[in-house]
Amino acid sequence: MRLVLVGAPGSGKGTQAQRMQARHGVPQVSTGDLLREAVAAGTELGRAAKTVMDAGHLVDDRTMLGIIRERLARPDAKPGFILDGFPRTIVQADGLEALLAEIGQPIDAVVLFDIDPGVLERRLAGRRTCKRCGRVFHVESNPPRPGETCTDGKPHDLVQRPDDNEETVRLRLAVYRERTQPLIDYYAKKNLLRRIDADGSLEDVDARLERAIS
Ligand code: AMP
């Protein structure tokens, strides 16, 4: 299975991709997570990316295509992948198409997470990530279960992402509209686009996603 998930920040792509990877035996490839790992490791890429990410802008296409090429070459991506947060521009989408043609692994489908902008702001305000295992939660709609522990046996250590503050969220949504929304037409013309209503419980969205790709 080779899927691309497209949607605004907070539309739930990451949460659904995390849930799907176990079901389908293919990894979630989140370029946001890859960049945050580089930031945490303090690499040159991480230092350059942190300023851009904290401001809510996009990292340049060339860098992103390099990251994705390297990630898809890892053995766990051989059976397929779920791309979460990539591509985010038409240049990235063209680059991805060329890369996948080169390795003979074309995309099966692109799922658009359709959601009302008001819901997005609420979701992003309550979003928390476990500092140690990277799982994404929401303080109201998806908190850790009582007594639930992280991979190391301790409770999850929940933090808010630095770019989830109100001002940066507004900018990220504007960047999405301007740079990423054109991908909807791009993939519709290629007959790859499936649209799902991304508002609802995790289970409801899960079910819609599975129906959309079956
Ligand atoms: P995300 O976790 O997908 O919301 O990504 C967090 C941030 O990482 C974004 O706001 C961008 O600054 C950067 N980023 C992630 N993926 C991409 C991409 N495909 N192209 C450019 N920047 C990206």
Side-chain angles (χ1 to χ4, degrees), residues 44-207:
E44 197 181 322
L45 163 70
R47 282 197 300 276
K50 183 171 170 40
T51 320
V52 179
M53 293 167 78
D54 285 355
H57 292 293
L58 294 184
V59 174
D60 69 278
D61 291 330
R62 215 180 125 87
T63 301
M64 293 315 301
L65 279 161
I67 291 176
I68 211 77
R69 174 180 284 274
E70 202 174 288
R71 177 64 187 86
L72 295 187
R74 287 194 220 154
D76 67 334
K78 274 267 159 355
F81 43 78
I82 304 163
L83 291 185
D84 158 20
F86 184 95
R88 257 177 159 100
T89 66
I90 299 282
V91 172
Q92 291 180 12
D94 284 339
L96 177 67
E97 191 174 52
L99 167 64
L100 295 183
E102 201 181 299
I103 57 178
Q105 294 201 328
I107 293 167
D108 299 319
V110 176
V111 181
L112 170 67
F113 282 54
D114 215 353
I115 196 152
D116 184 78
V119 176
L120 290 178
E121 286 180 26
R122 267 204 314 284
R123 281 199 183 174
L124 290 167
R127 175 157 77 178
R128 299 290 183 274
T129 309
C130 173
K131 217 157 81 178
R132 292 193 304 274
C133 72
R135 256 186 68 191
V136 179
F137 297 92
H138 189 279
V139 287
E140 286 157 19
S141 59
N142 181 27
R145 287 188 310 277
E148 181 178 334
T149 53
C150 186
T151 35
D152 60 2
K154 295 189 203 141
H156 289 290
D157 191 357
L158 300 188
V159 291
Q160 187 173 36
R161 278 172 44 171
D163 56 348
D164 273 350
N165 66 78
E166 216 177 300
E167 192 186 332
T168 313
V169 161
R170 226 172 290 127
L171 180 68
R172 285 164 62 210
L173 293 176
V175 169
Y176 172 76
R177 279 194 297 275
E178 197 177 306
R179 309 282 309 277
T180 308
Q181 258 181 0
L183 291 178
I184 299 173
D185 265 1
Y186 175 98
Y187 283 123
K189 285 194 183 117
K190 292 182 188 286
N191 253 335
L192 287 170
L193 194 76
R194 324 267 165 90
R195 201 180 275 266
I196 62 164
D197 175 3
D199 193 6
S201 69
L202 280 178
E203 292 71 22
D204 285 347
V205 178
D206 249 353

Side-chain angles (χ1 to χ4, degrees), residues 32-50 53 131:
D33 285 350
L34 293 170
L35 289 168
R36 280 184 288 276
E37 278 164 25
V39 171
T43 62
E44 197 181 322
L45 163 70
R47 282 197 300 276
K50 183 171 170 40
M53 293 167 78
K131 217 157 81 178

